[in-house]
C-alpha cells in the first residue's frame, strides 16, 4: 500500500474504533475540529449497520479535511470483514464449515480470508 494510502488507512482505523460513538454533530476537537461522543452507545445501538458505516465514513472525510483518500473501498471492507469473520468463527467455535455456511462463502474462500487476517 502506498505511503499516502497507509496514512489514510491509519486515520480510518483510528476513527472507526467505536462505530456506535459516531455522530457528526457530536464532534468538536481543537486539533481536528472533532472529538468522540461518549454518550451515544445506547442511542445508536438499534440503528442498522449501514447507518453506522455511513456515520463513520462521513467522520473519516471530515477528519481528512481537504486530503483525498485512496483505496477507501478496500479500507472499509477490511474494517468490516475482519471482525465479521472473527465473531462468526467464535460463534461456531472454530467450525469453518458452519462459519462458511453462515457467511454464504465457499469453505476455501473462507480459509483464504481467515489466513489474510491471521485468524487461523
Amino acid at each position: 500500500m502506498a505511503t499516502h494510502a497507509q496514512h489514510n488507512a491509519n486515520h480510518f482505523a483510528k476513527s472507526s474504533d467505536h462505530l456506535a460513538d459516531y455522530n457528526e454533530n457530536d464532534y468538536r476537537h481543537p486539533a481536528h475540529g472533532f472529538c468522540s461522543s461518549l454518550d451515544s452507545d445506547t442511542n445508536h445501538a438499534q440503528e442498522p449497520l449501514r447507518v453506522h458505516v455511513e456515520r463513520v465514513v462521513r467522520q473519516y472525510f471530515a477528519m481528512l479535511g481537504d486530503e483525498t483518500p485512496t483505496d477507501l473501498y478496500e479500507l472499509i471492507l477490511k474494517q468490516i470483514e475482519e471482525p465479521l469473520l472473527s465473531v462468526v468463527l467464535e460463534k461456531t467455535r472454530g467450525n469453518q464449515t458452519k462459519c462458511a455456511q453462515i457467511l454464504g462463502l465457499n469453505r476455501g474462500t473462507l480459509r483464504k480470508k481467515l489466513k489474510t487476517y491471521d485468524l487461523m
Side-chain angles (χ1 to χ4, degrees):
M1 196 181 285
T3 305
H4 185 71
Q6 185 59 48
H7 171 75
N8 287 340
N10 292 339
H11 246 326
F12 188 81
K14 289 176 188 174
S15 71
S16 63
D17 284 343
H18 304 287
L19 290 177
D21 288 345
Y22 284 86
N23 183 337
E24 63 189 38
N25 298 323
D26 291 343
Y27 292 85
R28 295 291 171 255
H29 185 276
H32 301 308
F34 295 96
C35 65
S36 67
S37 169
L38 300 175
D39 62 352
S40 58
D41 280 346
T42 55
N43 295 341
H44 299 297
Q46 300 301 319
E47 292 178 341
L49 178 60
R50 67 171 298 285
V51 173
H52 295 280
V53 172
E54 181 179 350
R55 187 177 296 120
V56 170
V57 173
R58 288 183 186 283
Q59 175 62 26
Y60 178 63
F61 276 109
M63 288 177 68
L64 286 178
D66 292 336
E67 288 186 58
T68 301
T70 56
D71 300 328
L72 183 59
Y73 186 78
E74 184 179 341
L75 281 169
I76 292 172
L77 288 184
K78 285 182 178 183
Q79 291 290 315
I80 293 171
E81 191 172 50
E82 184 176 4
L84 174 64
L85 295 171
S86 178
V87 169
V88 175
L89 194 60
E90 177 186 315
K91 291 296 182 183
T92 60
R93 296 187 205 124
N95 185 322
Q96 292 178 11
T97 301
K98 282 185 180 179
C99 186
Q101 288 172 341
I102 290 170
L103 293 169
L105 296 174
N106 175 289
R107 190 169 170 272
T109 301
L110 173 65
R111 289 181 59 78
K112 182 179 176 183
K113 290 179 180 292
L114 293 175
K115 286 178 185 177
T116 299
Y117 298 111
D118 292 323
L119 294 173
M120 61 177 294

